[in-house]
Amino acid sequence: MEQSIRCGVDIAKLVFQIHGVNAKSGETVMVKKLARAEMLRYFANKPPMLIGIEACGGAHYWARELSKLGHTVKLMTPQYVAPYRRGGKNDANDAEAICEALARPNMRFVAVKSESQQAVLVMHRMRDQWVRERTSLMNQIRSYLHEFGIVINQGRAALAKTLPLVAESETLPLLFRQSMADLANRLTDLETRITALNKRIDAWSKQDTTAKALLELCGVGSVTASAAVATAGDVSVFKNGRQFAAWLGLVPKQNSSGGKTQLGAITKRGDRYLRTLLVQGARTVMLAASRAQTSTQTTPMFEWIYKLQERRSNNVVAVAIAAKQARMLWAIMAKQQRQDALGLAI
C-alpha cells in the first residue's frame, strides 16, 4: 500500500513531537505533541504511513512497535538530519527536519535491530565496560605497588603471581596489604564475570546460524561474530561489502578537490567497538600468516598479506585486512539472511 503521509517523529523520554506532510504535495497535514503513553494509541488509529525517526536511544524500540501497527519506519543518523533543520533547535523543528530528510532519495538509513540483537549488544557493552574496568584496576594496583618498590612485568599473569606474595609479605604495612587484598578480590570478581560473559557469548554464537557461519573466517571468533550480527542488523541496507566497510570507518578519508584525489587515514566512523574487534582479529591473521610462511601451507589470503607487507607497515596491513574481513562478513551475512528469508517464505 502506498503511504499518503510522510511523518517525522522526534522522540524523547516523555514528550514526542510529530510533523506529517502529504507525500505527494508536501503540504503539512499533521503537527502534534504527544505524551509517551499516547504514542501507540495515536498511530494505531492512523492509516499506514512512512515514519522517520532519528537513530538514538529508544529508536529501535519505537521502530519495532510502530511497524507492528502496519507503518513503514525508517531510522536515520542524526548527523544526516541536522542539515535539513530550519531555525533554532527545538522539538518541532527537529520533527520537521526528520520529515524533510525522509524524502531525500539518497538518504542513508539505519537497519532496525530486533530485541535479540539488542540483547546481544547489551552483553557486549557490559563486556567492554568490565574489560576497561579490569585494565584500569590493574594499572591502579601496579601504581600502588610501584610506590613500595615493587615493579612487575606487564600482563595479568605476572600480576596474579605477585599479589599473593604481597599479601604474605610482613615487611609491608598491614593497611597496605589489606588494601591490596580488597583490590585483588575486586579483580578476581571482574575476571569471573568476564569469563562467564564470554561463555554466554560463545554459546549464543554457536546457536545463531549467521554467527556460526562467520566463525569459519580466519581471525573471527565468537565475540567478533556475535558483535557483527548484532551491530549490522539487516545488512540489505548496504549495497555491497565496501559500503559496510565504509560504515565501520575502515576506508580512507577523502579531502579531494579540483579533480585531484587525496586520501588520508581511515575515517573511523561507525561502531568503534566492532571496528576494534576486526583490527584485533586482523593481527591474529597476520600472526597466522607469519607462521605459515615458514611452511608450505599458505593460502591466497596469506599471499596477499605477504605482498602487502613488502610495501606497507604492519598497522596499515592490519587495517587493510580488517577492511577485507568486513567485506567478507557482509557477504556471508547477506547470503545467510537471504537464505533465512527464502526459508520463511517457503
Side-chain angles (χ1 to χ4, degrees), residues 23-34:
K24 294 183 179 180
S25 64
E27 179 185 0
T28 301
V29 296
M30 187 190 307
V31 176
K32 196 172 183 64
K33 182 182 291 186
L34 295 174

Side-chain angles (χ1 to χ4, degrees), residues 253-264:
K253 184 186 298 182
Q254 282 204 29
N255 187 21
S256 305
S257 180
K260 185 177 181 180
T261 302
Q262 293 184 352
L263 301 179

Side-chain angles (χ1 to χ4, degrees), residues 123-124 127 197-205 222-223 226:
M123 290 194 297
H124 280 279
R127 180 183 181 276
L197 199 54
N198 286 337
K199 291 181 180 179
R200 203 183 309 165
I201 292 174
D202 184 64
W204 185 89
S205 300
S222 58
V223 174
S226 58

Side-chain angles (χ1 to χ4, degrees), residues 55-266:
C56 56
H60 293 277
Y61 165 77
W62 288 111
R64 291 193 298 266
E65 294 301 317
L66 292 174
S67 297
K68 294 177 183 177
L69 299 177
H71 303 291
T72 302
V73 185
K74 299 288 186 180
L75 301 183
M76 294 169 286
T77 305
Q79 68 184 39
Y80 292 154
V81 176
Y84 297 97
R85 186 189 304 119
R86 294 183 296 179
K89 188 183 187 314
N90 54 55
D91 293 347
N93 288 344
D94 285 346
E96 184 180 0
I98 294 170
C99 185
E100 180 64 25
L102 187 61
R104 300 304 95 197
N106 58 346
M107 177 55 62
R108 299 175 184 175
F109 298 105
V110 178
V112 178
K113 293 180 176 60
S114 65
E115 290 184 345
S116 174
Q117 290 171 332
Q118 287 195 297
V120 174
L121 283 180
V122 168
M123 290 194 297
H124 280 279
R125 297 298 177 260
M126 291 169 55
R127 180 183 181 276
D128 184 45
Q129 180 182 358
W130 288 345
V131 169
R132 291 175 184 272
E133 185 178 349
R134 180 181 64 184
T135 303
S136 176
L137 183 59
M138 290 172 59
N139 291 335
Q140 184 181 15
I141 293 174
R142 290 177 186 278
S143 65
Y144 292 156
L145 293 176
H146 193 193
E147 294 297 329
F148 286 83
I150 303 174
V151 179
I152 56 179
N153 296 329
Q154 294 292 324
R156 300 200 306 270
L159 187 62
K161 292 180 181 178
T162 304
L163 287 177
L165 299 178
V166 172
E168 297 174 359
S169 178
E170 297 182 355
T171 60
L172 296 173
L174 178 61
L175 290 177
F176 176 72
R177 284 183 286 155
Q178 290 175 340
S179 299
M180 287 298 100
D182 292 338
L183 292 175
N185 291 335
R186 177 58 179 161
L187 184 60
T188 302
D189 179 64
L190 283 174
E191 292 280 5
T192 303
R193 290 176 181 272
I194 293 172
T195 301
L197 199 54
N198 286 337
K199 291 181 180 179
R200 203 183 309 165
I201 292 174
D202 184 64
W204 185 89
S205 300
K206 293 178 180 179
Q207 293 176 358
D208 186 80
T209 55
T210 304
K212 191 174 181 180
L214 297 181
L215 292 174
E216 301 297 327
L217 288 177
C218 180
V220 176
S222 58
V223 174
T224 304
S226 58
V229 172
T231 304
D234 183 10
V235 295
S236 63
V237 298
F238 306 103
K239 293 181 180 179
N240 48 46
R242 193 184 187 284
Q243 245 190 29
F244 180 65
W247 179 68
L248 290 175
L250 289 170
V251 297
K253 184 186 298 182
Q254 282 204 29
N255 187 21
S256 305
S257 180
K260 185 177 181 180
T261 302
Q262 293 184 352
L263 301 179
I266 59 174

